[in-house]
Amino acid sequence: MKQVKIAVILWFSNLMLFGLAYLYYKPTLPNLIITIGIIAQLLLFYLSFMIFLNEPTIKNRYIFLNFSLFFSNSFFYIFYYFGLHHIFFKTKYASVYAYQYFYIIFQITLAFAIIYLVVDFLFRNFSTLKKYLISFVIILTIGGYYFSNFFITPDYLYKTENIIYYKAVNNAIEEFKNENNRNPLPNEILDKVELNILRENISIGTFDREAKLAKIKEIMLYIQTDSWIILLYKPLYSNLLYIDVFILLFIFLYFGYQYTKDPPQGAYIDKIMYMLLFIVSLDMLHQWAFIKNVEYIEYMSLFEVGQYFSIAAYAGLVIFFYARLKFIKSVVGEFYETELQSNPEGITRWIDGIDRFILNHFTNPRDLKGRLFEQRTKQ
């Protein structure tokens, strides 16, 4: 199939180009499983872009334009690991800025792609402009609420409460070690550390001795395990987790509406949403694990295990995006998608191979209709 071949050729050409760049620049790349995930997302970018170019209806075309925008983040992954972020950020915090902005953009583009799909599903009679306006308002509202601080103050992560506490406790530990040539116990630096109760980086009071000691013990856990990176990125991962919860609500809204109304929809879109449900759920688990862990090495071990499941989900997306592209380029698929746009009440949704497997093995086959299109009974 011509479109699939073009997507694969472009994908493979990129891999060859990045492979040659790797041999020349010798950058430090992530481990193999994470690299495979990036490669899978790069393939999904080209497949979704080819679907966008070949969609027979304008309605679905913009859904896959949004997905191609999301999967284009794979290029930012590659640029980040090649160290190209130093071109844009002329500061010692360049890697931190690139890291935080990449994950914010990653999360926002994912949220936008799913929110637009759900809005399109719920308000199919609205114009494309109205659907985009609704989606933009929603994403700007939640994105602005959770991420505005990162853009107003680029070094926001270095000014959070936990980092301020970390610096104060660490300085007291270093001072004690210089004087006594050993690591202190928490109560031995109690009077050396000045900790204020902070809200939005503004002091609103002081801890009593018991609360202060508890806070010192908490911070010392991160110092002893050299896991300051968890304290640094905890505010970012907390906000990413909230966005994922928001995305999950929209996915549940999609399936809830599908279950109650069962409107006809584009082929394989429901399967794509199932895969996205799995991916978002895994992301939530990763973010929760990051926030709750004290040892960064332990978190990375959990993260790498989780990446195997993420790879399986992205492989599923590749299959369904490929199936979608193949379907819309077939005569039957083009007719179905066009008819779905012009006469949605006249047909039922497409029954694909997975649907047939489930229906044949988990339902009574006599209840099935042996036709591709079935006229709806008017109430």
Side-chain angles (χ1 to χ4, degrees):
M1 185 175 144
K2 181 180 177 181
Q3 289 73 23
V4 174
K5 288 181 179 178
I6 293 173
V8 171
I9 289 172
L10 291 172
W11 172 66
F12 189 73
S13 299
N14 277 170
L15 294 183
M16 292 293 292
L17 179 63
F18 293 133
L20 292 173
Y22 170 76
L23 293 175
Y24 183 79
Y25 290 104
K26 302 289 186 181
T28 302
L29 295 181
N31 61 33
L32 179 62
I33 192 64
I34 296 177
T35 303
I36 292 174
I38 297 172
I39 292 172
Q41 291 179 55
L42 185 62
L43 177 57
L44 283 165
F45 164 74
Y46 285 112
L47 287 174
S48 58
F49 190 69
M50 292 306 296
I51 295 174
F52 160 68
L53 293 178
N54 291 277
E55 271 288 348
T57 63
I58 295 178
K59 171 183 174 293
N60 288 329
R61 187 173 299 168
Y62 289 103
I63 290 175
F64 287 93
L65 174 63
N66 299 333
F67 277 123
S68 65
L69 178 64
F70 165 62
F71 289 119
S72 69
N73 287 305
S74 56
F75 290 101
F76 292 111
Y77 264 125
I78 296 167
F79 293 157
Y80 176 78
Y81 286 114
F82 271 85
L84 297 180
H85 52 276
H86 290 284
I87 299 174
F88 304 99
F89 301 108
K90 304 294 185 180
T91 171
K92 62 180 181 180
Y93 303 130
S95 60
V96 174
Y97 290 175
Y99 187 89
Q100 70 181 19
Y101 289 137
F102 167 75
Y103 275 102
I104 290 172
I105 293 171
F106 181 92
Q107 204 78 342
I108 290 298
T109 51
L110 173 61
F112 184 80
I114 293 176
I115 289 171
Y116 181 87
L117 191 155
V118 176
V119 169
D120 176 80
F121 189 56
L122 297 178
F123 308 106
R124 64 171 62 247
N125 293 325
F126 282 22
S127 67
T128 300
L129 178 60
K130 286 183 180 179
K131 294 172 188 176
Y132 265 106
L133 286 174
I134 293 172
S135 303
F136 271 122
V137 168
I138 294 172
I139 202 66
L140 286 175
T141 300
I142 62 172
Y145 180 80
Y146 286 110
F147 298 125
S148 59
N149 286 334
F150 294 89
F151 290 94
I152 295 172
T153 309
D155 59 347
Y156 170 75
L157 288 175
Y158 287 96
K159 298 179 178 179
T160 58
E161 298 170 16
N162 283 332
I163 293 301
I164 293 173
Y165 296 149
Y166 179 91
K167 290 178 180 178
V169 173
N170 190 58
N171 289 338
I173 290 174
E174 293 300 321
E175 181 181 341
F176 184 93
K177 287 167 65 176
N178 291 333
E179 294 174 356
N180 301 277
N181 200 30
R182 66 177 177 86
N183 289 319
L185 297 173
N187 63 307
E188 291 179 315
I189 59 172
L190 183 61
D191 295 325
K192 293 179 177 292
V193 181
E194 182 180 349
L195 296 181
N196 296 319
I197 302 173
L198 302 175
R199 182 175 298 168
E200 298 296 329
N201 295 336
I202 298 175
S203 176
I204 60 173
T206 57
F207 289 103
D208 59 36
R209 290 184 66 83
E210 184 178 346
K212 183 179 178 181
L213 182 61
K215 178 60 69 175
I216 290 173
K217 289 179 179 179
E218 176 189 341
I219 298 298
M220 285 184 71
L221 291 175
Y222 294 94
I223 295 175
Q224 292 166 356
T225 58
D226 197 24
S227 296
W228 59 270
I229 194 169
I230 290 181
L231 279 181
L232 179 67
Y233 287 114
K234 185 177 285 190
L236 174 64
Y237 276 79
S238 296
N239 290 350
L240 293 174
L241 178 60
Y242 289 134
I243 297 294
D244 267 336
V245 171
F246 197 82
I247 295 172
L248 207 61
L249 292 176
F250 268 83
I251 295 177
F252 287 148
L253 177 61
Y254 170 88
F255 286 119
Y257 187 79
Q258 182 188 44
Y259 178 78
T260 56
K261 300 294 184 180
D262 194 26
Q265 57 183 314
Y268 300 104
I269 289 181
D270 57 334
K271 308 303 185 302
I272 290 172
M273 287 296 280
Y274 278 118
M275 291 295 100
L276 290 171
L277 171 63
F278 187 53
I279 289 171
V280 172
S281 300
L282 279 175
D283 280 345
M284 290 177 62
L285 182 61
H286 290 155
Q287 289 148 10
W288 182 84
F290 185 92
I291 294 167
K292 294 299 180 181
N293 253 295
V294 173
E295 296 189 27
Y296 183 69
I297 295 176
E298 181 181 340
Y299 162 75
M300 285 305 299
S301 299
L302 293 172
F303 176 77
E304 289 174 8
V305 171
Q307 285 303 297
Y308 287 94
F309 295 97
S310 296
I311 292 300
Y314 282 119
L317 280 181
V318 168
I319 292 171
F320 293 128
F321 273 64
Y322 163 77
R324 173 73 187 180
L325 181 56
K326 183 178 178 181
F327 178 76
I328 62 175
K329 292 306 295 180
S330 67
V331 175
V332 172
E334 186 172 353
F335 170 73
Y336 174 78
E337 295 295 331
T338 305
E339 188 71 10
L340 186 63
Q341 179 72 9
S342 60
N343 184 28
E345 298 301 323
I347 59 174
T348 57
R349 69 181 180 89
W350 171 262
I351 304 297
D352 58 46
I354 295 176
D355 293 326
R356 293 185 187 281
F357 176 82
I358 294 173
L359 292 172
N360 288 330
H361 289 79
F362 299 99
T363 64
N364 189 343
R366 290 176 298 178
D367 296 334
L368 302 178
K369 303 293 183 181
R371 294 182 177 273
L372 174 63
F373 302 116
E374 180 180 331
Q375 188 71 28
R376 286 181 172 270
T377 302
K378 294 186 177 180
Q379 303 295 329

